[in-house]
Amino acid sequence: MNTSAFRKLVIGTALLSGFSYAEEQAPDHDPSDLTRATTSAYAAMSNNGDFKVSVSGSFQVNEKQEAMLTVEGTMDNQGHYSDSRIQYFHVFSVDNNIVPKVAASIDIIDNSAFTTAALGGIANFQTGSDKINLFARAGVLGGEYKSDFTKVMGESDSVTYGATGDIFLIMKPGKDGTYFMINPEYTYMGGSINTSVLKTTLLASTPLSQDKTRWGQIKIENTYGTSESNHYSLKTDDTVVWALYKAFF
């Protein structure tokens, strides 16, 4: 069983959450607002030695719309290419007291197991409390598995399609901007190979500078997934810890 290939598959699938995850810049540089565009960058390293870099540039479309383009790449602890993502993120302000902002995104994800394009949307729901914020995301995707992975699974048809959705519950215990996030996400990819992934993320984030342009984050990700074909069935249950340094510009 090629567990390395499958691990890259589920990690790459988990990255599809990235199209919902465009972290935003409020006037006080608050990365907990997931429905605004930002000009920012971050670098991250995992407990496995993987290294990730992400750069985002934003621009104002009009008074009620803004957009962001993100480019992201990851290499493993051997210095080899692991995965990459390009995302276009478009935010709309809505005249609604319950859902004041929504955003749409287009994501292209590539890794050693598959390449996909995803169309999704995220909405901000007001909870009535300044200390609790809620976001919900849903999306559809299509693409193809890489030939090496289809061979591992004993299949020749590489086409895949599916859907993904998750919830972001954010809690702010104090006034310094520090926040905690719980994010369960489910992704399904169908075709000759059926892949199901549940990723649960716990994140703690705190400002490192008084002007809140520099942030430190610790993220714990547990990914449980299965991939099945007519010939093989693969499973994974993996937990990774990431340390991130994020800067706004």
Side-chain angles (χ1 to χ4, degrees):
M1 177 176 65
N2 192 327
T3 57
S4 176
F6 181 65
R7 176 172 293 184
K8 289 180 179 179
L9 167 66
V10 295
I11 290 175
T13 305
L15 281 173
L16 291 169
S17 65
F19 78 89
S20 68
Y21 244 88
E23 296 185 3
E24 298 299 333
Q25 174 181 348
D28 61 351
H29 305 295
D30 181 3
S32 70
D33 185 353
L34 308 183
T35 50
R36 290 193 63 187
T38 181
T39 297
S40 60
Y42 74 78
M45 180 167 286
S46 76
N47 61 313
N48 295 329
D50 297 339
F51 184 69
K52 184 188 300 289
V53 174
S54 178
V55 178
S56 299
S58 64
F59 58 93
Q60 194 78 23
V61 178
N62 54 43
E63 291 183 357
K64 291 190 175 184
Q65 297 182 48
E66 55 187 351
M68 177 174 68
L69 181 66
T70 297
V71 178
E72 181 180 288
T74 308
M75 66 180 182
D76 62 23
N77 56 11
Q78 301 298 318
H80 301 145
Y81 170 83
S82 176
D83 55 66
S84 60
R85 177 173 66 101
I86 299 175
Q87 178 197 66
Y88 175 75
F89 188 72
H90 200 103
V91 183
F92 303 87
S93 296
V94 181
D95 294 328
N96 189 293
N97 293 330
I98 299 177
V99 185
K101 288 186 296 182
V102 297
S105 64
I106 300 173
D107 273 77
I108 298 174
I109 303 291
D110 178 76
N111 57 49
S112 62
F114 62 79
T115 300
T116 58
L119 175 64
I122 183 171
N124 176 211
F125 294 89
Q126 294 298 305
T127 64
S129 171
D130 293 337
K131 295 184 179 299
I132 300 176
N133 212 344
L134 180 66
F135 299 84
R137 180 190 66 85
V140 295
L141 63 94
E144 64 177 6
Y145 291 104
K146 297 294 180 63
S147 59
D148 287 347
F149 187 76
T150 56
K151 289 178 182 178
V152 168
M153 299 301 293
E155 297 290 342
S156 59
D157 184 4
S158 62
V159 175
T160 185
Y161 51 85
T164 182
D166 49 358
I167 293 173
F168 305 85
L169 178 62
I170 295 172
M171 294 158 284
K172 297 182 178 181
K175 296 183 179 180
D176 68 339
T178 297
Y179 68 94
F180 302 92
M181 183 184 74
I182 300 173
N183 169 218
E185 176 197 13
Y186 178 75
T187 300
Y188 173 79
M189 297 171 63
S192 62
I193 303 171
N194 294 315
T195 298
S196 177
V197 178
L198 175 64
K199 188 183 81 165
T200 303
T201 300
L202 303 177
L203 180 140
S205 181
T206 190
L208 301 178
S209 61
Q210 188 172 2
D211 62 359
K212 297 183 181 179
T213 59
R214 305 292 184 266
W215 288 73
Q217 300 179 335
I218 297 294
K219 182 163 59 174
I220 304 172
E221 297 177 338
N222 174 259
T223 303
Y224 178 81
T226 61
S227 190
E228 298 179 343
S229 69
N230 292 326
H231 307 279
Y232 296 102
S233 177
L234 301 177
K235 294 183 179 181
T236 190
D237 188 353
D238 189 35
T239 299
V240 179
V241 181
W242 290 90
L244 297 89
Y245 176 80
K246 186 177 181 71
F248 291 96
F249 305 101

